[in-house]
Amino acid sequence: MRVCFRSAVDVQHLIAYRKAHAAVWPEMLLALKEAGWNDYTLHLGDDGLLIGFVECDDLDAARARMALTEVNARWQKEMARLFPAAEGNPDEGFIVMEEVFSLEDQLAAAGILDAHINEGKVK
C-alpha cells in the first residue's frame, strides 16, 4: 500500500529539521527499512507543512515495529523539539490522507495504458 500523511514542523525549526533529515542516523535508516518502510519520502514546505509518502504492507504494523526500536525512541526524542508541543512522539501525530486519485490506477481501469503500450505510444 502507498500512504500519504501530513504533519507540521515548528517554523522556527525548519533549518534544523532539514539538517537532521539530510543526515539521518544509519541505524535509523536500517530500522525503517527492516520495519517495512519502503520508498519513504518527506516533503517540507516553508510554512512547516510536512507531507510524507511511504509504501508498506500495513502502515499500523510498520509503525508498531518502529515503536519497538530503541533508535526510534532516541530519534523521536530529538525530533520532538522541532515540532509544535504535543502529547506523544512526532511520528504518532501523523494524519493519514485519503488517496482520491491515481493516474496509473485509472489508466489501468480504463484499459488506456495497455492500449497505448500495445500501440507503442508509451515507453
Side-chain angles (χ1 to χ4, degrees), residues 63-76:
R63 290 172 80 171
R65 286 189 292 269
M66 279 306 294
L68 295 174
T69 66
E70 179 275 334
V71 68
N72 188 61
R74 284 190 292 122
W75 182 261
Q76 294 307 318

Side-chain angles (χ1 to χ4, degrees), residues 7-97:
S7 187
V9 175
D10 187 326
V11 294
Q12 298 176 57
H13 300 297
L14 297 179
I15 292 171
Y17 187 87
R18 286 184 174 104
K19 183 177 177 182
H21 284 80
V24 174
W25 307 331
E27 61 269 31
M28 183 64 172
L29 299 173
L30 289 172
L32 285 163
K33 195 66 174 171
E34 290 170 357
W37 293 67
N38 299 298
D39 200 15
Y40 180 31
T41 61
L42 294 170
H43 307 262
L44 181 62
D46 290 337
D47 61 354
L49 178 64
L50 181 67
I51 302 291
F53 293 93
V54 64
E55 291 187 9
C56 56
D57 291 334
D58 178 307
L59 181 61
D60 291 335
R63 290 172 80 171
R65 286 189 292 269
M66 279 306 294
L68 295 174
T69 66
E70 179 275 334
V71 68
N72 188 61
R74 284 190 292 122
W75 182 261
Q76 294 307 318
K77 184 176 179 182
E78 286 288 318
M79 293 300 104
R81 65 185 178 80
L82 307 178
F83 285 77
E87 290 184 27
N89 291 328
D91 65 343
E92 295 168 354
F94 293 164
I95 299 168
V96 175
M97 307 298 289

Side-chain angles (χ1 to χ4, degrees), residues 99-118:
E99 181 176 289
V100 296
F101 173 79
S102 166
L103 176 62
E104 283 72 21
D105 290 350
Q106 289 197 24
L107 286 170
I112 297 170
L113 188 58
D114 291 337
H116 275 59
I117 290 172
N118 291 337

